[in-house]
Amino acid sequence: MIRHSKHTSESWKNLNWKKFRKNLFRLQCRVFKAVRAGNKRKALSLQKLILKSSSARFLAIRQVSQLNAGKKTAGVDGKKSLNFKERFELETFLKANCNYWHHQKLRSIPIPKKDGSLRTLKIPTMADRAWQCLAKYALEPAHEATFHARSYGFRPGRSAHDAQRHLFNNLNSKANGINKRVIELDIEKCFDRINHNTIMENLTAPKGIKTGIFRCLKAGTNPEFPEQGTPQGGVISPLLANVALNGIEKLHRYHVNKRSKITPKTPKKNIIEASIRYADDMVIILRPEDNATEILERINEFLAKRGMKISEKKTKITTTTDGFDFLGWHFKVLKDGRFKSYPSVDNFKKFRQKIKNIVNCSNYGSKVKAEKLAPIVRGWRNYHRFCDMSACKFSLWHINHRIWKVFNKETKNTKESTTKLVKKALPRVPYSENKFVNVTGEKSPYDNDITYWSERNSKLYDNETSKALKRQNHSCGHCGLKFISEERVHLHHADGNHNNWKPKNLMAVHESCHDYIHMSNRVIP
């Protein structure tokens, strides 16, 4: 790599990011392959290489300082952002200290929960976040090789829609879902009660990373429970929670043939995976003959070893015909046996409140309101695109009508078209109920099956983005790499005119590439 004598904004922007991503991904694939083959010694050696890699260091710094949603949130040092010079200095500091990292204290931010209680986000400093991201690059492929197929939360290549589809597969009329029940499992204060010893024992990592993770855990502990908890708000926290809870999905599964028992030699195709986990949220599907009390006892025993327990107040056993909420959806089996999913009442209330806050704000006009509303509405509709949206039509009409009335009043004395502004504020997203295709088995982006992952990720997009991806053969129009990571695909307008939707003007790019395209005409802060 070329070393720059002068650290300028141009030198940061012109670093070979494409090469960095290729180098890191190649090492991660090798770690994944070594763990799958049972060669732990080789995996640890490769993880050390990732920790020493300049490619990984630069990518980690860019991720936490420029790409992450919380990039402007300060830690205890009050540092909200890094300029280009500080990014180069942090890279040098990481290189010298990555094997014996000392965590600073965490900044606590109380966040209200829907039940009225508070949960505390603990925010690391920018430097600590960069180290955590670097450690995650090394840890994630090793654990992706061992994670259960029915764990969908905070994992590359998997999403809440996988969990939604799996519920459909197990509760539709063909699966006799009308006669089944579900356990809505809630783990009491999961992130606050995870035992540190459990995490450290199950972590596949060299000594340098383990020591840094241990110090990270101790920096965020509650004085009353010094041996428990992983700080919410850290880059690596969701991965550590998945490491601790991995295996809970195996506690209830059954043979396709009711009379047969599962043995080590039972083919996977004959085993029904009846548990779905998304981070610490879990749903367990029960047949009429299953003993719910016995299953809950096994789960409590599993959790007790990890310092956690089931929340008796929030854990419920529900019949599928009564319906249940999970991941912002309400699932229900109708009397005729059909399986349905809708946006949950709580989810819709939050969405409506966000819309209301913007529409009723008097600080800016309709044009700005439309720009602020569009990503919120598009994101909400995209999330619910694989469920039945017909139940929301009446409520959505009222939202639409309210926005039209406010915009019409505000644009009365201007030349702006109210109808055009409303269309811009409420972009339409087509929905196709239960059409999502699940990720295949235990596949992971780190298995290096580039064709499968690039085509799969491309199928998650519609309209012009989908067409652009096909034209570009599922490759980024800026860096040329395939769309295999969890990074979102953005649609770039080449001439900068967002009203020009001609195919030649549209290019599908990585989110980070899109940021850098727009940075090319201005100085990086």
Side-chain angles (χ1 to χ4, degrees):
M1 192 194 77
I2 299 171
R3 292 287 175 186
H4 301 274
S5 55
K6 290 183 180 179
H7 292 157
T8 65
S9 59
E10 285 298 311
S11 65
W12 175 265
K13 185 188 72 180
N14 292 328
L15 287 170
N16 197 338
W17 298 108
K18 179 179 178 179
K19 183 182 176 184
F20 292 168
R21 289 164 75 156
K22 277 187 171 181
N23 289 345
L24 176 60
F25 184 66
R26 187 181 70 252
L27 285 171
Q28 289 178 314
C29 289
R30 290 176 67 192
V31 171
F32 179 89
K33 188 178 177 182
V35 174
R36 275 277 169 96
N39 192 342
K40 188 178 177 181
R41 186 175 178 181
K42 185 177 181 180
L44 295 177
S45 178
L46 289 165
Q47 285 177 312
K48 289 177 184 176
L49 280 179
I50 291 175
L51 213 59
K52 292 176 182 177
S53 166
S54 60
S55 298
R57 289 195 298 274
F58 277 116
L59 287 169
I61 293 165
R62 184 178 72 156
Q63 186 67 41
V64 300
S65 65
Q66 292 182 285
L67 301 179
N68 280 354
K71 59 181 179 282
K72 296 293 184 184
T73 309
V76 289
D77 59 356
K79 185 77 79 174
K80 285 187 176 181
S81 61
L82 300 178
N83 60 38
F84 59 87
K85 197 172 183 181
E86 288 168 329
R87 291 176 204 150
F88 280 111
E89 288 171 357
L90 180 54
E91 191 274 333
T92 305
F93 187 72
L94 279 173
K95 183 180 180 181
N97 298 281
C98 61
N99 278 311
Y100 42 92
W101 191 262
H102 287 270
H103 260 263
Q104 296 183 58
K105 291 181 180 179
L106 306 174
R107 178 184 166 215
S108 296
I109 302 176
I111 304 289
K113 296 168 77 172
K114 64 180 181 181
D115 61 359
S117 62
L118 293 174
R119 68 186 178 96
T120 306
L121 282 182
K122 295 184 176 179
I123 309 299
T125 62
M126 196 72 77
D128 287 336
R129 272 179 266 174
W131 183 88
Q132 285 187 27
C133 189
L134 181 60
K136 185 186 174 187
Y137 287 154
L139 291 171
E140 192 169 66
H143 289 281
E144 276 295 310
T146 60
F147 281 160
H148 195 275
R150 297 293 166 252
S151 164
Y152 296 115
F154 303 107
R155 291 183 60 190
R158 290 165 189 265
S159 69
H161 293 122
D162 286 288
Q164 182 190 35
R165 177 68 191 191
H166 189 68
L167 281 169
F168 168 77
N169 292 342
N170 283 273
L171 296 176
N172 61 26
S173 55
K174 290 181 181 178
N176 199 23
I178 198 167
N179 294 323
K180 292 179 178 177
R181 298 164 293 154
V182 296
I183 299 174
E184 299 174 63
L185 187 73
D186 185 87
I187 301 170
E188 192 174 316
K189 296 182 179 179
C190 175
F191 281 86
D192 295 330
R193 294 291 176 267
I194 297 174
N195 189 280
H196 292 170
N197 290 336
T198 298
I199 293 172
M200 300 312 296
E201 287 168 8
N202 290 291
L203 214 56
T204 302
K207 187 179 178 182
I209 294 179
K210 277 197 170 186
T211 304
I213 294 294
F214 186 74
R215 288 170 179 161
C216 165
L217 293 171
K218 293 303 176 187
T221 51
N222 184 330
E224 295 178 34
F225 304 96
E227 301 300 322
Q228 291 179 291
T230 175
Q232 293 184 64
V235 176
I236 208 166
S237 298
L239 175 60
L240 297 181
N242 276 335
V243 169
L245 291 172
N246 187 41
I248 196 172
E249 306 88 353
K250 296 178 183 178
L251 297 180
H252 177 57
R253 51 189 187 155
Y254 51 85
H255 203 288
V256 173
N257 185 345
K258 291 180 182 180
R259 296 180 181 178
S260 303
K261 290 185 178 181
I262 295 174
T263 67
K265 293 183 180 180
T266 304
K268 286 186 179 180
K269 64 180 181 180
N270 293 338
I271 299 173
I272 298 294
E273 301 285 359
S275 302
I276 301 104
R277 182 172 69 83
Y278 191 94
D280 60 333
D281 290 326
M282 195 168 174
V283 166
I284 301 162
I285 302 166
L286 304 176
R287 299 168 297 173
E289 63 267 29
D290 290 329
N291 188 326
T293 306
E294 198 176 283
I295 292 164
L296 286 170
E297 282 176 2
R298 288 205 300 269
I299 291 170
N300 241 336
E301 190 179 324
F302 176 92
L303 292 174
K305 292 176 182 175
R306 289 153 177 78
M308 296 172 280
K309 64 179 181 178
I310 293 172
S311 171
E312 294 180 7
K313 289 182 181 178
K314 295 180 182 178
T315 298
K316 296 182 285 186
I317 300 170
T318 315
T319 59
T320 54
T321 49
D322 287 338
F324 61 96
D325 288 354
F326 184 55
L327 301 178
W329 293 299
H330 182 73
F331 298 96
K332 190 174 185 178
V333 176
L334 305 182
K335 289 180 180 179
D336 60 5
R338 287 182 300 144
F339 175 84
K340 286 285 182 180
S341 57
Y342 318 95
S344 70
V345 173
D346 285 343
N347 183 276
F348 188 78
K349 279 181 180 177
K350 285 181 182 177
F351 169 67
R352 190 172 59 190
Q353 189 60 48
K354 285 181 182 178
I355 299 293
K356 190 177 178 182
N357 291 343
I358 294 171
V359 173
N360 293 341
C361 183
S362 58
N363 293 340
Y364 33 74
S366 298
K367 193 174 181 180
V368 177
K369 286 179 182 178
E371 289 172 356
K372 287 180 176 290
L373 286 170
I376 294 171
V377 174
R378 188 183 292 109
W380 187 81
R381 283 181 164 165
N382 267 319
Y383 186 76
H384 296 294
R385 58 185 281 211
F386 297 108
C387 67
D388 185 358
M389 294 292 282
S390 61
C392 295
K393 279 185 178 178
F394 184 68
S395 300
L396 288 172
W397 183 89
H398 275 283
I399 290 173
N400 192 326
H401 186 62
R402 168 66 181 159
I403 291 171
W404 193 92
K405 281 177 71 177
V406 172
F407 282 15
N408 190 48
K409 187 178 178 181
E410 292 177 349
T411 57
K412 234 174 189 179
N413 301 320
T414 67
K415 293 181 180 179
E416 290 178 307
S417 166
T418 302
T419 306
K420 283 184 179 179
L421 282 174
V422 172
K423 280 185 178 179
K424 185 179 180 181
L426 300 171
R428 295 191 175 277
V429 175
Y431 71 91
S432 49
E433 192 179 354
N434 299 320
K435 296 296 182 184
F436 185 82
V437 179
N438 269 110
V439 63
T440 304
E442 296 179 343
K443 285 192 73 64
S444 167
Y446 300 118
D447 61 14
N448 209 18
D449 189 350
I450 293 173
T451 303
Y452 171 83
W453 285 104
S454 60
E455 289 182 2
R456 173 181 168 75
N457 289 353
S458 297
K459 287 175 184 175
L460 303 180
Y461 297 89
D462 285 321
N463 303 327
E464 298 305 324
T465 307
S466 178
K467 292 174 187 176
L469 286 165
K470 286 177 184 176
R471 284 197 304 270
Q472 295 166 204
N473 193 25
H474 314 291
S475 301
C476 176
H478 180 69
C479 70
L481 296 178
K482 293 283 188 181
F483 291 102
I484 52 175
S485 68
E486 60 200 277
E487 195 174 340
R488 287 182 300 172
V489 175
H490 280 200
L491 197 62
H492 173 63
H493 293 71
D495 65 357
N497 180 7
H498 284 239
N499 294 318
N500 181 359
W501 290 85
K502 291 179 181 179
K504 287 183 180 179
N505 190 48
L506 303 175
M507 182 169 65
V509 294
H510 288 105
E511 182 183 9
S512 57
C513 291
H514 202 196
D515 288 343
Y516 271 73
I517 290 170
H518 287 289
M519 283 179 187
S520 61
N521 295 324
R522 57 188 169 89
V523 177
I524 302 174

